[in-house]
Amino acid sequence: MVSQVATLWAAVLLLASMHNCDEPAVSERSPTLAKNSCLSEAGAILEAPPIPCQPLVACNGEQIEKAYVKVHETCRIKATQRLNEREYFHARIDYWQGDHVFLFDNIVKSHASHTLMFDAERITQVPTKLIEELNLKLLIYSIEAGRIQDALLLYVTLKDDWKAERILDEIQTNPSGVNEVIVLHVLEFARALPVKNVRVELYKALVVFLRRNNLNSSYVSLLYAADSLAVFTTEKDKKDYFTPPYEAVLKVLRSQLQKQELDFNVWIANKYPPYYTHFITEIFTIDSKTWQTIDKRRLFEIAGMFKAKGHRFQVIEQFLKYAKDYDSRNVSNLVKMMPTLAVEVDNLRRTVEQTGNHKNEVDKIKTLQGLFKTTFWNRRQYRTYLHIMKTEGKFGKKYIELQSKG
């Protein structure tokens, strides 16, 4: 055991004798990075502080502490410098980015004129047929959107020869389908066309178009009938192109009147009064057999639903005519239904007074009041029927209390 300790101690003494104690354990000439290194330029501290100690000699603590304090201070200064440089770099980045956006916008604006030139060159190379198709699409979209002035300008100024059938075929391809609003816009477009022959061709094509889209019974058919009646002059044209859609919608309007379903008639009359006026006499044409089956007290109420005074005058006059023609010998029927009509005349009289009390309208009211005396043996007059309504009500005395409660 002793021999092993002695051998180890001898090895230590031998190593100590081989080492030069005049040099520090860690030389100041330790390898360092090149001066142009990124880390060196960034201020990193790569050299270790010298240790003024010799082997087997006690270290001088004061010298080591001074070296440490010096390195620590240098590290703090370098860290502050790096922090300042980093913040400055971020500020410069933001500034440079703004410069890039500004310069890029200038480049885009400068390039705009070149883009227009390239687009013009590209358009000149587009086939003529494609341009025609695009113009047609623009025309169709303008009509469907109700931009009639734009559509008319396109149709008149462009050289493309668009037939009526082709325009309607393109509208037929609408993904959402063809509805009444689209047909209404087509009618507005047709009405605005300056050339009569072109307008006639479009009206002829519309007959098939309405039938194809199940719109013959719609209100647009009544509008079509009124518009087309002015351009179809021959009996053959009227029979082929005016009569089919007109008779279809007329049948619906009459049928609803006979069933006392008044909403459709009232809506068309108030929404499109000139068109309804054009056909109101035929709409309210009722034969004797049908007249006997209608609840006339309910039918007479339609007069008060019309906004136009002309409609009210016309239907009341027509009702009085039917009462004279079909019920003049049936006094009980007259007593039952005529008080309701007398009330409608009285309401119309009040409207005339409230809207100017014009002489021609006042004279028409007096004429209507005189028509209530239908025959010689029925001496009841307008005032008599008003009195009956006030004393007995619309449905008789036993229901007068219920009627007063609505």
Side-chain angles (χ1 to χ4, degrees):
M1 181 68 180
V2 176
S3 60
Q4 293 178 354
V5 173
T7 303
L8 180 60
W9 180 248
V12 171
L13 292 176
L14 180 61
L15 292 172
S17 63
M18 293 173 64
H19 185 74
N20 185 6
C21 290
D22 294 335
E23 296 292 334
V26 180
S27 175
E28 293 181 1
R29 297 190 297 272
S30 299
T32 59
L33 295 176
K35 289 185 177 181
N36 60 353
S37 170
C38 293
L39 292 177
S40 177
E41 291 179 358
I45 300 174
L46 302 175
E47 296 182 355
I51 300 177
C53 294
Q54 296 181 1
L56 304 180
V57 178
C59 294
N60 189 340
E62 184 177 352
Q63 292 181 0
I64 293 175
E65 183 178 359
K66 287 181 179 179
Y68 172 77
V69 170
K70 181 180 179 181
V71 172
H72 182 271
E73 182 65 18
T74 303
C75 182
R76 186 185 64 80
I77 294 173
K78 295 289 185 181
T80 302
Q81 292 176 349
R82 288 195 299 272
L83 180 61
N84 292 337
E85 290 176 356
R86 185 182 65 182
E87 292 178 353
Y88 176 73
F89 178 74
H90 287 165
R92 292 298 301 173
I93 284 292
D94 294 339
Y95 180 77
W96 292 337
Q97 185 178 9
D99 286 348
H100 292 162
V101 173
F102 174 74
L103 293 174
F104 180 75
D105 289 341
N106 286 340
I107 292 173
V108 171
K109 292 178 181 178
S110 301
H111 187 60
S113 58
H114 299 284
T115 303
L116 293 175
M117 182 182 67
F118 293 146
D119 289 343
E121 183 179 357
R122 178 180 55 81
I123 290 173
T124 57
Q125 298 174 355
V126 174
T128 306
K129 185 176 181 181
L130 179 58
I131 296 177
E132 180 184 348
E133 291 178 356
L134 292 176
N135 288 335
L136 179 58
K137 287 292 184 184
L138 182 58
L139 173 71
I140 298 305
Y141 296 155
S142 299
I143 294 175
E144 291 177 343
R147 301 177 65 89
I148 306 305
Q149 291 183 352
D150 295 342
L152 187 63
L153 183 63
L154 283 168
Y155 189 85
V156 173
T157 56
L158 295 178
K159 297 180 181 180
D160 304 298
D161 186 17
W162 294 313
K163 300 297 183 183
E165 292 81 0
R166 186 178 180 188
I167 293 176
L168 296 180
D169 287 342
E170 287 292 330
I171 294 176
Q172 188 67 46
T173 61
N174 189 312
S176 301
V178 177
N179 53 39
E180 294 171 330
V181 175
I182 291 179
V183 177
L184 185 63
H185 292 162
V186 173
L187 289 174
E188 292 177 4
F189 174 71
R191 201 177 302 127
L193 289 173
V195 182
K196 182 178 179 180
N197 293 337
V198 178
R199 196 160 62 247
V200 169
E201 292 302 320
L202 184 53
Y203 284 135
K204 288 181 178 180
L206 271 170
V207 175
V208 179
F209 189 73
L210 291 171
R211 184 171 62 249
R212 183 193 307 164
N213 294 283
N214 298 319
L215 294 173
N216 271 349
S217 301
S218 172
Y219 73 93
V220 292
S221 290
L222 191 71
L223 272 58
Y224 163 82
D227 287 346
S228 63
L229 191 59
V231 298
F232 294 135
T233 55
T234 66
E235 292 299 324
K236 184 179 185 306
D237 284 347
K238 291 181 180 179
K239 180 180 179 182
D240 294 340
Y241 304 110
F242 165 78
T243 303
Y246 172 62
E247 287 188 346
V249 68
L250 181 64
K251 181 179 179 181
V252 173
L253 292 171
R254 284 179 176 174
S255 174
Q256 293 196 0
L257 283 178
Q258 295 170 14
K259 297 176 183 177
Q260 287 82 54
E261 297 172 0
L262 310 179
D263 293 344
F264 188 39
N265 277 271
V266 171
W267 182 84
I268 296 179
N270 294 338
K271 182 71 175 178
Y272 304 101
Y275 292 90
Y276 196 79
T277 302
H278 198 79
F279 302 109
I280 190 170
T281 301
E282 295 184 17
I283 293 172
F284 281 84
T285 298
I286 305 174
D287 58 70
S288 176
K289 183 178 179 181
T290 304
W291 177 263
Q292 302 304 327
T293 61
I294 296 176
D295 182 2
K296 288 171 278 294
R297 290 174 296 186
R298 168 62 176 159
L299 179 62
F300 292 164
E301 292 177 353
I302 195 173
M305 300 178 186
F306 291 140
K307 293 181 180 179
K309 290 181 289 185
H311 292 161
R312 298 168 70 178
F313 274 114
Q314 197 159 352
V315 297
I316 290 174
E317 184 178 358
Q318 202 149 342
F319 289 151
L320 286 169
K321 175 180 178 297
Y322 291 141
K324 180 178 180 180
D325 293 343
Y326 302 147
D327 291 302
S328 59
R329 295 179 178 274
N330 193 332
V331 178
S332 61
N333 278 353
L334 292 173
V335 172
K336 184 169 66 172
M337 67 180 183
M338 294 300 275
T340 302
L341 197 56
V343 171
E344 295 299 335
V345 174
D346 195 52
N347 291 337
L348 180 57
R349 177 189 60 80
R350 292 193 182 94
T351 303
V352 169
E353 291 177 353
Q354 294 168 1
T355 55
N357 214 20
H358 300 289
K359 184 178 183 305
N360 61 330
E361 293 179 345
V362 174
D363 292 341
K364 287 181 180 180
I365 291 292
K366 292 179 180 179
T367 300
L368 293 179
Q369 292 173 348
L371 293 176
F372 277 81
K373 185 178 179 181
T374 55
T375 60
F376 176 76
W377 53 83
N378 177 26
R379 297 183 179 277
R380 293 181 179 85
Q381 298 180 2
Y382 166 73
R383 298 289 179 187
T384 307
Y385 289 120
L386 275 183
H387 180 73
I388 292 174
M389 176 62 79
K390 292 179 181 178
T391 56
E392 300 184 12
K394 179 183 290 189
F395 304 103
K397 286 185 177 181
K398 62 179 180 179
Y399 296 110
I400 192 169
E401 183 179 353
L402 184 62
Q403 180 182 338
S404 64
K405 296 180 181 179

PDB file of all heavy atoms in Angstrom, residues 283-307:
ATOM      1  N   ILE A 283    -113.822  41.803 -69.091  1.00  0.00           N
ATOM      2  CA  ILE A 283    -113.602  41.042 -67.856  1.00  0.00           C
ATOM      3  C   ILE A 283    -114.907  40.901 -67.078  1.00  0.00           C
ATOM      4  O   ILE A 283    -115.214  39.837 -66.519  1.00  0.00           O
ATOM      5  CB  ILE A 283    -112.517  41.729 -66.995  1.00  0.00           C
ATOM      6  CG1 ILE A 283    -111.157  41.645 -67.690  1.00  0.00           C
ATOM      7  CG2 ILE A 283    -112.433  41.083 -65.613  1.00  0.00           C
ATOM      8  CD1 ILE A 283    -110.075  42.462 -67.013  1.00  0.00           C
ATOM      9  N   PHE A 284    -115.706  41.958 -67.046  1.00  0.00           N
ATOM     10  CA  PHE A 284    -116.950  41.945 -66.286  1.00  0.00           C
ATOM     11  C   PHE A 284    -118.153  41.586 -67.159  1.00  0.00           C
ATOM     12  O   PHE A 284    -119.285  41.911 -66.806  1.00  0.00           O
ATOM     13  CB  PHE A 284    -117.167  43.309 -65.619  1.00  0.00           C
ATOM     14  CG  PHE A 284    -116.355  43.489 -64.370  1.00  0.00           C
ATOM     15  CD1 PHE A 284    -115.042  43.919 -64.444  1.00  0.00           C
ATOM     16  CD2 PHE A 284    -116.891  43.202 -63.128  1.00  0.00           C
ATOM     17  CE1 PHE A 284    -114.280  44.073 -63.298  1.00  0.00           C
ATOM     18  CE2 PHE A 284    -116.143  43.352 -61.978  1.00  0.00           C
ATOM     19  CZ  PHE A 284    -114.822  43.791 -62.057  1.00  0.00           C
ATOM     20  N   THR A 285    -117.903  40.917 -68.272  1.00  0.00           N
ATOM     21  CA  THR A 285    -119.009  40.413 -69.083  1.00  0.00           C
ATOM     22  C   THR A 285    -119.529  39.115 -68.466  1.00  0.00           C
ATOM     23  O   THR A 285    -118.786  38.136 -68.340  1.00  0.00           O
ATOM     24  CB  THR A 285    -118.542  40.163 -70.523  1.00  0.00           C
ATOM     25  OG1 THR A 285    -118.124  41.414 -71.092  1.00  0.00           O
ATOM     26  CG2 THR A 285    -119.668  39.582 -71.355  1.00  0.00           C
ATOM     27  N   ILE A 286    -120.796  39.132 -68.052  1.00  0.00           N
ATOM     28  CA  ILE A 286    -121.390  37.992 -67.343  1.00  0.00           C
ATOM     29  C   ILE A 286    -122.703  37.629 -68.030  1.00  0.00           C
ATOM     30  O   ILE A 286    -123.570  38.499 -68.230  1.00  0.00           O
ATOM     31  CB  ILE A 286    -121.633  38.338 -65.860  1.00  0.00           C
ATOM     32  CG1 ILE A 286    -120.330  38.816 -65.201  1.00  0.00           C
ATOM     33  CG2 ILE A 286    -122.191  37.125 -65.104  1.00  0.00           C
ATOM     34  CD1 ILE A 286    -120.515  39.321 -63.778  1.00  0.00           C
ATOM     35  N   ASP A 287    -122.864  36.377 -68.366  1.00  0.00           N
ATOM     36  CA  ASP A 287    -124.117  35.952 -69.012  1.00  0.00           C
ATOM     37  C   ASP A 287    -125.197  35.733 -67.957  1.00  0.00           C
ATOM     38  O   ASP A 287    -124.926  35.672 -66.749  1.00  0.00           O
ATOM     39  CB  ASP A 287    -123.894  34.677 -69.832  1.00  0.00           C
ATOM     40  CG  ASP A 287    -123.360  33.542 -68.996  1.00  0.00           C
ATOM     41  OD1 ASP A 287    -124.105  33.005 -68.147  1.00  0.00           O
ATOM     42  OD2 ASP A 287    -122.158  33.188 -69.158  1.00  0.00           O
ATOM     43  N   SER A 288    -126.434  35.581 -68.426  1.00  0.00           N
ATOM     44  CA  SER A 288    -127.599  35.492 -67.526  1.00  0.00           C
ATOM     45  C   SER A 288    -127.508  34.288 -66.593  1.00  0.00           C
ATOM     46  O   SER A 288    -127.781  34.388 -65.392  1.00  0.00           O
ATOM     47  CB  SER A 288    -128.876  35.419 -68.352  1.00  0.00           C
ATOM     48  OG  SER A 288    -129.994  35.234 -67.525  1.00  0.00           O
ATOM     49  N   LYS A 289    -127.091  33.142 -67.123  1.00  0.00           N
ATOM     50  CA  LYS A 289    -127.021  31.925 -66.309  1.00  0.00           C
ATOM     51  C   LYS A 289    -125.994  32.072 -65.194  1.00  0.00           C
ATOM     52  O   LYS A 289    -126.247  31.684 -64.044  1.00  0.00           O
ATOM     53  CB  LYS A 289    -126.683  30.740 -67.213  1.00  0.00           C
ATOM     54  CG  LYS A 289    -126.656  29.415 -66.487  1.00  0.00           C
ATOM     55  CD  LYS A 289    -126.369  28.273 -67.461  1.00  0.00           C
ATOM     56  CE  LYS A 289    -126.328  26.938 -66.734  1.00  0.00           C
ATOM     57  NZ  LYS A 289    -126.020  25.812 -67.666  1.00  0.00           N
ATOM     58  N   THR A 290    -124.843  32.618 -65.538  1.00  0.00           N
ATOM     59  CA  THR A 290    -123.793  32.807 -64.523  1.00  0.00           C
ATOM     60  C   THR A 290    -124.210  33.853 -63.503  1.00  0.00           C
ATOM     61  O   THR A 290    -123.949  33.710 -62.302  1.00  0.00           O
ATOM     62  CB  THR A 290    -122.484  33.237 -65.199  1.00  0.00           C
ATOM     63  OG1 THR A 290    -122.118  32.278 -66.200  1.00  0.00           O
ATOM     64  CG2 THR A 290    -121.362  33.354 -64.196  1.00  0.00           C
ATOM     65  N   TRP A 291    -124.894  34.885 -63.953  1.00  0.00           N
ATOM     66  CA  TRP A 291    -125.339  35.955 -63.050  1.00  0.00           C
ATOM     67  C   TRP A 291    -126.236  35.406 -61.943  1.00  0.00           C
ATOM     68  O   TRP A 291    -126.151  35.866 -60.789  1.00  0.00           O
ATOM     69  CB  TRP A 291    -126.049  37.024 -63.863  1.00  0.00           C
ATOM     70  CG  TRP A 291    -126.620  38.162 -63.052  1.00  0.00           C
ATOM     71  CD1 TRP A 291    -127.904  38.298 -62.631  1.00  0.00           C
ATOM     72  CD2 TRP A 291    -125.906  39.308 -62.586  1.00  0.00           C
ATOM     73  NE1 TRP A 291    -128.052  39.463 -61.929  1.00  0.00           N
ATOM     74  CE2 TRP A 291    -126.830  40.114 -61.886  1.00  0.00           C
ATOM     75  CE3 TRP A 291    -124.592  39.751 -62.697  1.00  0.00           C
ATOM     76  CZ2 TRP A 291    -126.467  41.316 -61.298  1.00  0.00           C
ATOM     77  CZ3 TRP A 291    -124.242  40.953 -62.113  1.00  0.00           C
ATOM     78  CH2 TRP A 291    -125.174  41.719 -61.418  1.00  0.00           C
ATOM     79  N   GLN A 292    -127.079  34.455 -62.275  1.00  0.00           N
ATOM     80  CA  GLN A 292    -128.000  33.912 -61.274  1.00  0.00           C
ATOM     81  C   GLN A 292    -127.290  33.087 -60.197  1.00  0.00           C
ATOM     82  O   GLN A 292    -127.814  32.897 -59.098  1.00  0.00           O
ATOM     83  CB  GLN A 292    -129.069  33.044 -61.963  1.00  0.00           C
ATOM     84  CG  GLN A 292    -129.893  33.784 -63.015  1.00  0.00           C
ATOM     85  CD  GLN A 292    -130.571  35.025 -62.472  1.00  0.00           C
ATOM     86  OE1 GLN A 292    -130.976  35.085 -61.312  1.00  0.00           O
ATOM     87  NE2 GLN A 292    -130.695  36.040 -63.332  1.00  0.00           N
ATOM     88  N   THR A 293    -126.096  32.579 -60.492  1.00  0.00           N
ATOM     89  CA  THR A 293    -125.387  31.717 -59.532  1.00  0.00           C
ATOM     90  C   THR A 293    -124.390  32.486 -58.664  1.00  0.00           C
ATOM     91  O   THR A 293    -123.841  31.921 -57.716  1.00  0.00           O
ATOM     92  CB  THR A 293    -124.628  30.611 -60.288  1.00  0.00           C
ATOM     93  OG1 THR A 293    -123.660  31.210 -61.160  1.00  0.00           O
ATOM     94  CG2 THR A 293    -125.588  29.770 -61.115  1.00  0.00           C
ATOM     95  N   ILE A 294    -124.167  33.744 -58.969  1.00  0.00           N
ATOM     96  CA  ILE A 294    -123.156  34.522 -58.238  1.00  0.00           C
ATOM     97  C   ILE A 294    -123.783  35.153 -56.998  1.00  0.00           C
ATOM     98  O   ILE A 294    -124.931  35.601 -57.018  1.00  0.00           O
ATOM     99  CB  ILE A 294    -122.579  35.627 -59.151  1.00  0.00           C
ATOM    100  CG1 ILE A 294    -121.842  35.022 -60.343  1.00  0.00           C
ATOM    101  CG2 ILE A 294    -121.637  36.539 -58.385  1.00  0.00           C
ATOM    102  CD1 ILE A 294    -121.337  36.062 -61.321  1.00  0.00           C
ATOM    103  N   ASP A 295    -122.996  35.198 -55.919  1.00  0.00           N
ATOM    104  CA  ASP A 295    -123.398  35.962 -54.744  1.00  0.00           C
ATOM    105  C   ASP A 295    -123.101  37.432 -55.038  1.00  0.00           C
ATOM    106  O   ASP A 295    -121.982  37.921 -54.841  1.00  0.00           O
ATOM    107  CB  ASP A 295    -122.615  35.492 -53.508  1.00  0.00           C
ATOM    108  CG  ASP A 295    -123.034  36.241 -52.250  1.00  0.00           C
ATOM    109  OD1 ASP A 295    -123.956  37.083 -52.337  1.00  0.00           O
ATOM    110  OD2 ASP A 295    -122.430  36.004 -51.188  1.00  0.00           O
ATOM    111  N   LYS A 296    -124.097  38.129 -55.523  1.00  0.00           N
ATOM    112  CA  LYS A 296    -123.874  39.482 -56.033  1.00  0.00           C
ATOM    113  C   LYS A 296    -123.563  40.481 -54.924  1.00  0.00           C
ATOM    114  O   LYS A 296    -122.872  41.474 -55.167  1.00  0.00           O
ATOM    115  CB  LYS A 296    -125.108  39.917 -56.839  1.00  0.00           C
ATOM    116  CG  LYS A 296    -125.207  39.167 -58.180  1.00  0.00           C
ATOM    117  CD  LYS A 296    -126.502  39.413 -58.886  1.00  0.00           C
ATOM    118  CE  LYS A 296    -127.615  38.516 -58.348  1.00  0.00           C
ATOM    119  NZ  LYS A 296    -127.405  37.079 -58.613  1.00  0.00           N
ATOM    120  N   ARG A 297    -124.028  40.221 -53.719  1.00  0.00           N
ATOM    121  CA  ARG A 297    -123.699  41.135 -52.630  1.00  0.00           C
ATOM    122  C   ARG A 297    -122.192  41.147 -52.368  1.00  0.00           C
ATOM    123  O   ARG A 297    -121.620  42.186 -52.053  1.00  0.00           O
ATOM    124  CB  ARG A 297    -124.467  40.727 -51.365  1.00  0.00           C
ATOM    125  CG  ARG A 297    -125.955  40.990 -51.447  1.00  0.00           C
ATOM    126  CD  ARG A 297    -126.688  40.439 -50.260  1.00  0.00           C
ATOM    127  NE  ARG A 297    -126.585  38.973 -50.192  1.00  0.00           N
ATOM    128  CZ  ARG A 297    -127.235  38.210 -49.313  1.00  0.00           C
ATOM    129  NH1 ARG A 297    -128.046  38.794 -48.426  1.00  0.00           N
ATOM    130  NH2 ARG A 297    -127.114  36.911 -49.320  1.00  0.00           N
ATOM    131  N   ARG A 298    -121.557  39.984 -52.507  1.00  0.00           N
ATOM    132  CA  ARG A 298    -120.097  39.925 -52.371  1.00  0.00           C
ATOM    133  C   ARG A 298    -119.398  40.507 -53.601  1.00  0.00           C
ATOM    134  O   ARG A 298    -118.417  41.239 -53.485  1.00  0.00           O
ATOM    135  CB  ARG A 298    -119.674  38.467 -52.158  1.00  0.00           C
ATOM    136  CG  ARG A 298    -118.175  38.189 -52.272  1.00  0.00           C
ATOM    137  CD  ARG A 298    -117.381  38.928 -51.235  1.00  0.00           C
ATOM    138  NE  ARG A 298    -115.966  38.577 -51.308  1.00  0.00           N
ATOM    139  CZ  ARG A 298    -114.982  39.327 -50.831  1.00  0.00           C
ATOM    140  NH1 ARG A 298    -115.266  40.481 -50.264  1.00  0.00           N
ATOM    141  NH2 ARG A 298    -113.730  38.935 -50.930  1.00  0.00           N
ATOM    142  N   LEU A 299    -119.927  40.219 -54.787  1.00  0.00           N
ATOM    143  CA  LEU A 299    -119.307  40.707 -56.017  1.00  0.00           C
ATOM    144  C   LEU A 299    -119.337  42.229 -56.089  1.00  0.00           C
ATOM    145  O   LEU A 299    -118.370  42.858 -56.546  1.00  0.00           O
ATOM    146  CB  LEU A 299    -120.032  40.117 -57.223  1.00  0.00           C
ATOM    147  CG  LEU A 299    -119.519  40.539 -58.602  1.00  0.00           C
ATOM    148  CD1 LEU A 299    -118.073  40.104 -58.794  1.00  0.00           C
ATOM    149  CD2 LEU A 299    -120.402  39.963 -59.703  1.00  0.00           C
ATOM    150  N   PHE A 300    -120.438  42.844 -55.629  1.00  0.00           N
ATOM    151  CA  PHE A 300    -120.557  44.302 -55.708  1.00  0.00           C
ATOM    152  C   PHE A 300    -119.491  45.014 -54.874  1.00  0.00           C
ATOM    153  O   PHE A 300    -119.142  46.163 -55.153  1.00  0.00           O
ATOM    154  CB  PHE A 300    -121.948  44.743 -55.244  1.00  0.00           C
ATOM    155  CG  PHE A 300    -123.062  44.328 -56.179  1.00  0.00           C
ATOM    156  CD1 PHE A 300    -124.397  44.344 -55.767  1.00  0.00           C
ATOM    157  CD2 PHE A 300    -122.781  43.920 -57.476  1.00  0.00           C
ATOM    158  CE1 PHE A 300    -125.411  43.972 -56.631  1.00  0.00           C
ATOM    159  CE2 PHE A 300    -123.801  43.543 -58.337  1.00  0.00           C
ATOM    160  CZ  PHE A 300    -125.111  43.557 -57.915  1.00  0.00           C
ATOM    161  N   GLU A 301    -118.928  44.340 -53.882  1.00  0.00           N
ATOM    162  CA  GLU A 301    -117.930  44.968 -53.010  1.00  0.00           C
ATOM    163  C   GLU A 301    -116.629  45.276 -53.733  1.00  0.00           C
ATOM    164  O   GLU A 301    -115.827  46.078 -53.251  1.00  0.00           O
ATOM    165  CB  GLU A 301    -117.648  44.059 -51.811  1.00  0.00           C
ATOM    166  CG  GLU A 301    -118.820  43.936 -50.849  1.00  0.00           C
ATOM    167  CD  GLU A 301    -118.526  42.960 -49.708  1.00  0.00           C
ATOM    168  OE1 GLU A 301    -117.466  42.299 -49.776  1.00  0.00           O
ATOM    169  OE2 GLU A 301    -119.344  42.875 -48.782  1.00  0.00           O
ATOM    170  N   ILE A 302    -116.416  44.653 -54.887  1.00  0.00           N
ATOM    171  CA  ILE A 302    -115.168  44.891 -55.612  1.00  0.00           C
ATOM    172  C   ILE A 302    -115.060  46.342 -56.061  1.00  0.00           C
ATOM    173  O   ILE A 302    -113.949  46.879 -56.213  1.00  0.00           O
ATOM    174  CB  ILE A 302    -115.055  43.942 -56.827  1.00  0.00           C
ATOM    175  CG1 ILE A 302    -113.615  43.930 -57.345  1.00  0.00           C
ATOM    176  CG2 ILE A 302    -116.021  44.341 -57.939  1.00  0.00           C
ATOM    177  CD1 ILE A 302    -113.371  42.901 -58.428  1.00  0.00           C
ATOM    178  N   ALA A 303    -116.197  47.008 -56.238  1.00  0.00           N
ATOM    179  CA  ALA A 303    -116.163  48.406 -56.676  1.00  0.00           C
ATOM    180  C   ALA A 303    -115.416  49.275 -55.667  1.00  0.00           C
ATOM    181  O   ALA A 303    -114.648  50.169 -56.044  1.00  0.00           O
ATOM    182  CB  ALA A 303    -117.584  48.930 -56.894  1.00  0.00           C
ATOM    183  N   GLY A 304    -115.622  49.023 -54.393  1.00  0.00           N
ATOM    184  CA  GLY A 304    -114.959  49.814 -53.364  1.00  0.00           C
ATOM    185  C   GLY A 304    -113.490  49.467 -53.182  1.00  0.00           C
ATOM    186  O   GLY A 304    -112.765  50.193 -52.498  1.00  0.00           O
ATOM    187  N   MET A 305    -113.042  48.367 -53.794  1.00  0.00           N
ATOM    188  CA  MET A 305    -111.633  47.966 -53.671  1.00  0.00           C
ATOM    189  C   MET A 305    -110.749  48.600 -54.730  1.00  0.00           C
ATOM    190  O   MET A 305    -109.529  48.604 -54.592  1.00  0.00           O
ATOM    191  CB  MET A 305    -111.526  46.443 -53.760  1.00  0.00           C
ATOM    192  CG  MET A 305    -112.284  45.698 -52.681  1.00  0.00           C
ATOM    193  SD  MET A 305    -112.152  43.906 -52.898  1.00  0.00           S
ATOM    194  CE  MET A 305    -113.260  43.327 -51.617  1.00  0.00           C
ATOM    195  N   PHE A 306    -111.353  49.119 -55.781  1.00  0.00           N
ATOM    196  CA  PHE A 306    -110.565  49.756 -56.836  1.00  0.00           C
ATOM    197  C   PHE A 306    -110.135  51.147 -56.379  1.00  0.00           C
ATOM    198  O   PHE A 306    -110.921  51.907 -55.810  1.00  0.00           O
ATOM    199  CB  PHE A 306    -111.386  49.873 -58.127  1.00  0.00           C
ATOM    200  CG  PHE A 306    -111.663  48.557 -58.791  1.00  0.00           C
ATOM    201  CD1 PHE A 306    -112.903  48.294 -59.355  1.00  0.00           C
ATOM    202  CD2 PHE A 306    -110.682  47.582 -58.869  1.00  0.00           C
ATOM    203  CE1 PHE A 306    -113.155  47.083 -59.984  1.00  0.00           C
ATOM    204  CE2 PHE A 306    -110.922  46.374 -59.486  1.00  0.00           C
ATOM    205  CZ  PHE A 306    -112.168  46.115 -60.043  1.00  0.00           C
ATOM    206  N   LYS A 307    -108.891  51.493 -56.685  1.00  0.00           N
ATOM    207  CA  LYS A 307    -108.401  52.834 -56.361  1.00  0.00           C
ATOM    208  C   LYS A 307    -108.849  53.861 -57.393  1.00  0.00           C
ATOM    209  O   LYS A 307    -109.112  55.016 -57.042  1.00  0.00           O
ATOM    210  CB  LYS A 307    -106.872  52.823 -56.281  1.00  0.00           C
ATOM    211  CG  LYS A 307    -106.315  52.016 -55.120  1.00  0.00           C
ATOM    212  CD  LYS A 307    -104.791  52.073 -55.110  1.00  0.00           C
ATOM    213  CE  LYS A 307    -104.229  51.272 -53.949  1.00  0.00           C
ATOM    214  NZ  LYS A 307    -102.746  51.299 -53.931  1.00  0.00           N
TER     215      LYS A 307
END
